[in-house]
mmCIF file of all heavy atoms in Angstrom:
data_model
loop_
_atom_site.group_PDB
_atom_site.id
_atom_site.type_symbol
_atom_site.label_atom_id
_atom_site.label_comp_id
_atom_site.label_asym_id
_atom_site.label_seq_id
_atom_site.Cartn_x
_atom_site.Cartn_y
_atom_site.Cartn_z
ATOM 1 N N ALA B 38 9.108 19.079 -4.258
ATOM 2 C CA ALA B 38 7.949 18.189 -4.197
ATOM 3 C C ALA B 38 6.701 18.951 -3.662
ATOM 4 O O ALA B 38 6.814 19.797 -2.868
ATOM 5 C CB ALA B 38 8.275 16.996 -3.359
ATOM 6 N N GLU B 39 5.509 18.417 -4.182
ATOM 7 C CA GLU B 39 4.265 19.059 -3.714
ATOM 8 C C GLU B 39 3.942 18.643 -2.328
ATOM 9 O O GLU B 39 3.383 19.378 -1.552
ATOM 10 C CB GLU B 39 3.158 18.676 -4.675
ATOM 11 C CG GLU B 39 2.975 17.131 -4.904
ATOM 12 C CD GLU B 39 4.238 16.478 -5.410
ATOM 13 O OE1 GLU B 39 5.102 17.127 -6.069
ATOM 14 O OE2 GLU B 39 4.504 15.263 -4.987
ATOM 15 N N GLN B 40 4.378 17.386 -1.913
ATOM 16 C CA GLN B 40 4.144 16.966 -0.524
ATOM 17 C C GLN B 40 5.350 17.049 0.323
ATOM 18 O O GLN B 40 6.403 16.558 -0.012
ATOM 19 C CB GLN B 40 3.536 15.529 -0.508
ATOM 20 C CG GLN B 40 4.432 14.488 -1.157
ATOM 21 C CD GLN B 40 3.664 13.480 -1.993
ATOM 22 O OE1 GLN B 40 2.610 13.052 -1.606
ATOM 23 N NE2 GLN B 40 4.225 13.076 -3.106
ATOM 24 N N ARG B 41 5.224 17.733 1.430
ATOM 25 C CA ARG B 41 6.438 17.912 2.264
ATOM 26 C C ARG B 41 6.845 16.577 2.966
ATOM 27 O O ARG B 41 8.088 16.440 3.209
ATOM 28 C CB ARG B 41 6.090 18.827 3.515
ATOM 29 C CG ARG B 41 5.850 20.238 3.206
ATOM 30 C CD ARG B 41 5.629 21.109 4.466
ATOM 31 N NE ARG B 41 6.639 20.806 5.515
ATOM 32 C CZ ARG B 41 7.899 21.186 5.539
ATOM 33 N NH1 ARG B 41 8.330 21.869 4.457
ATOM 34 N NH2 ARG B 41 8.675 20.957 6.555
ATOM 35 N N HIS B 42 5.847 15.748 3.206
ATOM 36 C CA HIS B 42 6.239 14.491 4.014
ATOM 37 C C HIS B 42 6.275 13.295 3.184
ATOM 38 O O HIS B 42 5.256 12.866 2.530
ATOM 39 C CB HIS B 42 5.163 14.316 5.124
ATOM 40 C CG HIS B 42 4.959 15.559 5.956
ATOM 41 N ND1 HIS B 42 4.168 16.558 5.608
ATOM 42 C CD2 HIS B 42 5.491 15.945 7.144
ATOM 43 C CE1 HIS B 42 4.165 17.532 6.446
ATOM 44 N NE2 HIS B 42 5.075 17.230 7.389
ATOM 45 N N MET B 43 7.465 12.689 3.043
ATOM 46 C CA MET B 43 7.634 11.607 2.074
ATOM 47 C C MET B 43 8.478 10.407 2.759
ATOM 48 O O MET B 43 9.354 10.689 3.487
ATOM 49 C CB MET B 43 8.293 12.016 0.847
ATOM 50 C CG MET B 43 7.510 13.064 0.029
ATOM 51 S SD MET B 43 8.335 13.627 -1.429
ATOM 52 C CE MET B 43 9.522 14.723 -0.741
ATOM 53 N N SER B 44 8.128 9.195 2.291
ATOM 54 C CA SER B 44 8.911 8.046 2.765
ATOM 55 C C SER B 44 10.042 7.787 1.784
ATOM 56 O O SER B 44 10.063 8.285 0.722
ATOM 57 C CB SER B 44 7.954 6.875 2.776
ATOM 58 O OG SER B 44 7.603 6.447 1.537
ATOM 59 N N ALA B 45 10.931 6.854 2.184
ATOM 60 C CA ALA B 45 11.979 6.397 1.312
ATOM 61 C C ALA B 45 11.493 5.914 0.018
ATOM 62 O O ALA B 45 12.010 6.225 -1.072
ATOM 63 C CB ALA B 45 12.853 5.328 2.057
ATOM 64 N N GLU B 46 10.496 5.143 0.061
ATOM 65 C CA GLU B 46 9.862 4.583 -1.162
ATOM 66 C C GLU B 46 9.323 5.700 -2.059
ATOM 67 O O GLU B 46 9.442 5.597 -3.303
ATOM 68 C CB GLU B 46 8.760 3.629 -0.717
ATOM 69 C CG GLU B 46 8.248 2.690 -1.881
ATOM 70 C CD GLU B 46 9.251 1.661 -2.326
ATOM 71 O OE1 GLU B 46 10.090 1.364 -1.554
ATOM 72 O OE2 GLU B 46 9.137 1.274 -3.499
ATOM 73 N N ASP B 47 8.637 6.625 -1.410
ATOM 74 C CA ASP B 47 8.118 7.806 -2.100
ATOM 75 C C ASP B 47 9.316 8.440 -2.902
ATOM 76 O O ASP B 47 9.181 8.714 -4.158
ATOM 77 C CB ASP B 47 7.516 8.900 -1.280
ATOM 78 C CG ASP B 47 6.318 8.343 -0.580
ATOM 79 O OD1 ASP B 47 5.624 7.536 -1.146
ATOM 80 O OD2 ASP B 47 6.001 8.890 0.577
ATOM 81 N N ILE B 48 10.376 8.773 -2.221
ATOM 82 C CA ILE B 48 11.530 9.456 -2.863
ATOM 83 C C ILE B 48 12.049 8.568 -3.944
ATOM 84 O O ILE B 48 12.271 9.061 -5.124
ATOM 85 C CB ILE B 48 12.678 9.510 -1.806
ATOM 86 C CG1 ILE B 48 12.144 10.174 -0.535
ATOM 87 C CG2 ILE B 48 13.856 10.308 -2.454
ATOM 88 C CD1 ILE B 48 11.934 11.635 -0.687
ATOM 89 N N TYR B 49 12.291 7.303 -3.734
ATOM 90 C CA TYR B 49 12.805 6.369 -4.686
ATOM 91 C C TYR B 49 12.015 6.405 -6.001
ATOM 92 O O TYR B 49 12.523 6.484 -7.092
ATOM 93 C CB TYR B 49 12.881 4.958 -4.128
ATOM 94 C CG TYR B 49 13.411 3.934 -5.021
ATOM 95 C CD1 TYR B 49 14.766 4.003 -5.456
ATOM 96 C CD2 TYR B 49 12.570 2.875 -5.451
ATOM 97 C CE1 TYR B 49 15.207 2.993 -6.358
ATOM 98 C CE2 TYR B 49 13.064 1.958 -6.309
ATOM 99 C CZ TYR B 49 14.398 1.969 -6.743
ATOM 100 O OH TYR B 49 14.870 0.989 -7.606
ATOM 101 N N LYS B 50 10.703 6.271 -5.816
ATOM 102 C CA LYS B 50 9.831 6.155 -6.966
ATOM 103 C C LYS B 50 9.772 7.539 -7.723
ATOM 104 O O LYS B 50 9.741 7.591 -9.017
ATOM 105 C CB LYS B 50 8.345 5.833 -6.590
ATOM 106 C CG LYS B 50 8.382 4.301 -6.243
ATOM 107 C CD LYS B 50 6.995 3.827 -5.876
ATOM 108 C CE LYS B 50 6.868 2.377 -5.555
ATOM 109 N NZ LYS B 50 5.691 1.966 -4.766
ATOM 110 N N LEU B 51 9.741 8.596 -7.015
ATOM 111 C CA LEU B 51 9.724 9.959 -7.688
ATOM 112 C C LEU B 51 11.005 10.142 -8.509
ATOM 113 O O LEU B 51 10.938 10.663 -9.598
ATOM 114 C CB LEU B 51 9.586 11.016 -6.624
ATOM 115 C CG LEU B 51 8.154 11.257 -6.084
ATOM 116 C CD1 LEU B 51 8.154 12.303 -4.942
ATOM 117 C CD2 LEU B 51 7.317 11.820 -7.296
ATOM 118 N N LEU B 52 12.074 9.760 -7.966
ATOM 119 C CA LEU B 52 13.430 9.832 -8.675
ATOM 120 C C LEU B 52 13.352 8.980 -9.940
ATOM 121 O O LEU B 52 13.839 9.464 -10.985
ATOM 122 C CB LEU B 52 14.507 9.539 -7.787
ATOM 123 C CG LEU B 52 14.841 10.553 -6.658
ATOM 124 C CD1 LEU B 52 15.948 10.156 -5.793
ATOM 125 C CD2 LEU B 52 15.122 11.934 -7.252
ATOM 126 N N LEU B 53 12.866 7.860 -9.781
ATOM 127 C CA LEU B 53 12.773 6.989 -10.914
ATOM 128 C C LEU B 53 11.885 7.589 -12.032
ATOM 129 O O LEU B 53 12.258 7.596 -13.230
ATOM 130 C CB LEU B 53 12.185 5.538 -10.525
ATOM 131 C CG LEU B 53 13.006 4.489 -9.928
ATOM 132 C CD1 LEU B 53 12.225 3.150 -9.838
ATOM 133 C CD2 LEU B 53 14.268 4.292 -10.739
ATOM 134 N N SER B 54 10.780 8.046 -11.575
ATOM 135 C CA SER B 54 9.819 8.643 -12.561
ATOM 136 C C SER B 54 10.433 9.820 -13.357
ATOM 137 O O SER B 54 9.885 10.098 -14.435
ATOM 138 C CB SER B 54 8.520 9.095 -11.819
ATOM 139 O OG SER B 54 8.820 10.303 -11.103
ATOM 140 N N THR B 55 11.380 10.492 -12.841
ATOM 141 C CA THR B 55 11.953 11.609 -13.586
ATOM 142 C C THR B 55 13.321 11.231 -14.185
ATOM 143 O O THR B 55 14.024 12.037 -14.720
ATOM 144 C CB THR B 55 12.258 12.828 -12.569
ATOM 145 O OG1 THR B 55 13.007 12.375 -11.420
ATOM 146 C CG2 THR B 55 10.931 13.379 -12.122
ATOM 147 N N GLY B 56 13.600 9.927 -14.141
ATOM 148 C CA GLY B 56 14.857 9.457 -14.785
ATOM 149 C C GLY B 56 16.059 9.696 -13.984
ATOM 150 O O GLY B 56 17.114 9.374 -14.321
ATOM 151 N N ASP B 57 15.850 10.359 -12.845
ATOM 152 C CA ASP B 57 17.031 10.629 -11.976
ATOM 153 C C ASP B 57 17.314 9.363 -11.033
ATOM 154 O O ASP B 57 17.145 9.419 -9.856
ATOM 155 C CB ASP B 57 16.741 11.768 -11.018
ATOM 156 C CG ASP B 57 16.562 13.038 -11.880
ATOM 157 O OD1 ASP B 57 17.501 13.376 -12.668
ATOM 158 O OD2 ASP B 57 15.595 13.726 -11.724
ATOM 159 N N ASP B 58 17.662 8.250 -11.623
ATOM 160 C CA ASP B 58 17.765 6.990 -10.909
ATOM 161 C C ASP B 58 18.795 7.135 -9.749
ATOM 162 O O ASP B 58 19.923 7.598 -9.949
ATOM 163 C CB ASP B 58 18.289 5.889 -11.786
ATOM 164 C CG ASP B 58 17.166 5.579 -12.935
ATOM 165 O OD1 ASP B 58 16.629 6.517 -13.407
ATOM 166 O OD2 ASP B 58 16.899 4.378 -13.105
ATOM 167 N N VAL B 59 18.373 6.578 -8.622
ATOM 168 C CA VAL B 59 19.223 6.544 -7.470
ATOM 169 C C VAL B 59 18.868 5.211 -6.805
ATOM 170 O O VAL B 59 17.729 4.919 -6.642
ATOM 171 C CB VAL B 59 19.014 7.671 -6.444
ATOM 172 C CG1 VAL B 59 19.884 7.487 -5.159
ATOM 173 C CG2 VAL B 59 19.385 9.037 -7.066
ATOM 174 N N GLY B 60 19.927 4.486 -6.379
ATOM 175 C CA GLY B 60 19.591 3.162 -5.784
ATOM 176 C C GLY B 60 18.781 3.313 -4.560
ATOM 177 O O GLY B 60 18.935 4.384 -3.778
ATOM 178 N N LEU B 61 17.920 2.360 -4.287
ATOM 179 C CA LEU B 61 17.112 2.476 -3.096
ATOM 180 C C LEU B 61 17.896 2.461 -1.721
ATOM 181 O O LEU B 61 17.611 3.212 -0.902
ATOM 182 C CB LEU B 61 16.100 1.199 -3.035
ATOM 183 C CG LEU B 61 15.112 1.149 -1.756
ATOM 184 C CD1 LEU B 61 14.291 2.387 -1.741
ATOM 185 C CD2 LEU B 61 14.296 -0.124 -1.968
ATOM 186 N N ALA B 62 18.977 1.705 -1.737
ATOM 187 C CA ALA B 62 19.829 1.668 -0.580
ATOM 188 C C ALA B 62 20.506 3.051 -0.389
ATOM 189 O O ALA B 62 20.564 3.480 0.812
ATOM 190 C CB ALA B 62 20.971 0.643 -0.779
#
Side-chain angles (χ1 to χ4, degrees):
Chain B
E39 58 301 331
Q40 59 219 320
R41 291 185 46 74
H42 308 85
M43 295 180 285
S44 69
E46 193 69 22
D47 291 336
I48 307 290
Y49 178 66
K50 286 179 178 163
L51 278 174
L52 290 177
L53 277 190
S54 76
T55 53
D57 297 308
D58 296 44
V59 174
L61 179 56

